[in-house]
Amino acid sequence: MTDTDPLARFGVVPLFSLTSSDLTDGQPLATAQYGAGSGGEDRSPELSWSGFPAATKSFALTAYDPDAPTGSGFWHWAVFNIPVSVTALAAGAGSPRSRLLPAEATTLPNETRQSSFVGAGPPEGTGVHRYQFIVHAVDVPRLRIDPESTPAVLGFNLHFHTLARAVLTGTGEFSPRRGR
């Protein structure tokens, strides 16, 4: 787990632990976590979390690239209403065909308008990108958000309902060896 919180500027909350068998904090993403158009598999990493506050009622998960050359970053994945009993997601849970997310969870459309995980695809010449996987401990069992909303709307709601968060950051950059 990283000791920094990329969302602290919106209000400091305690941090808890987020680990992955597919991703090491601060290290490059595996090829599987890249998008299909970049030689990858669009496969979300395995994620496990612990140490969240006892008052947690549900979780939300976001995957975001703040370094995308857009002026607003790039949302790769946004899921909310993950039951408090769920403290891990298997690799590939971001694929709607996988059925690995709990039935209560809602996946919002990402930047490509797909309700799934979309892998990294940093454009040539844009340097190293950070891919922030963040699990938010939420103070209500269900956030009432339109399932067609954007991840930014989820972020707005999380601002008011996050008790704590856990952050795991992978890195990635364009590589002609992976394909494009």
Side-chain angles (χ1 to χ4, degrees):
M1 178 186 76
T2 185
D3 60 356
T4 60
D5 181 353
L7 301 177
R9 69 184 184 274
F10 300 115
V12 176
V13 297
L15 295 174
F16 58 97
S17 179
L18 177 59
T19 60
S20 175
S21 58
D22 298 324
L23 174 62
T24 301
D25 194 47
Q27 297 300 308
L29 297 172
T31 299
Q33 276 76 61
Y34 277 81
S38 294
E41 300 172 22
D42 285 312
R43 185 171 62 208
S44 58
E46 178 275 333
L47 298 167
S48 302
W49 53 94
S50 62
F52 48 87
T56 303
K57 303 265 196 292
S58 66
F59 298 103
L61 166 66
T62 56
Y64 177 70
D65 171 4
D67 304 310
T70 64
S72 60
F74 192 97
W75 293 97
H76 288 263
W77 197 20
V79 183
F80 65 100
N81 293 342
I82 300 170
V84 71
S85 60
V86 175
T87 58
L89 294 176
S95 170
R97 294 178 305 281
S98 75
R99 303 204 187 278
L100 295 172
L101 283 177
E104 304 89 339
T106 299
T107 303
L108 295 175
N110 57 36
E111 296 289 350
T112 63
R113 305 307 300 152
Q114 299 173 67
S115 296
S116 63
F117 173 79
V118 63
E124 186 172 7
T126 61
V128 175
H129 291 230
R130 293 166 292 159
Y131 297 89
Q132 300 167 336
F133 292 84
I134 304 175
V135 175
H136 310 259
V138 180
D139 67 356
V140 294
R142 292 190 54 77
L143 290 169
R144 305 219 183 278
I145 300 172
D146 183 323
E148 294 301 314
S149 294
T150 65
V153 170
L154 173 60
F156 177 81
N157 281 271
L158 289 172
H159 173 77
F160 300 100
H161 291 286
T162 296
L163 298 169
R165 66 180 62 94
V167 182
L168 193 58
T169 302
T171 63
E173 62 185 311
F174 175 82
S175 171
R177 291 189 314 264
R178 251 193 321 279
R180 203 52 195 147

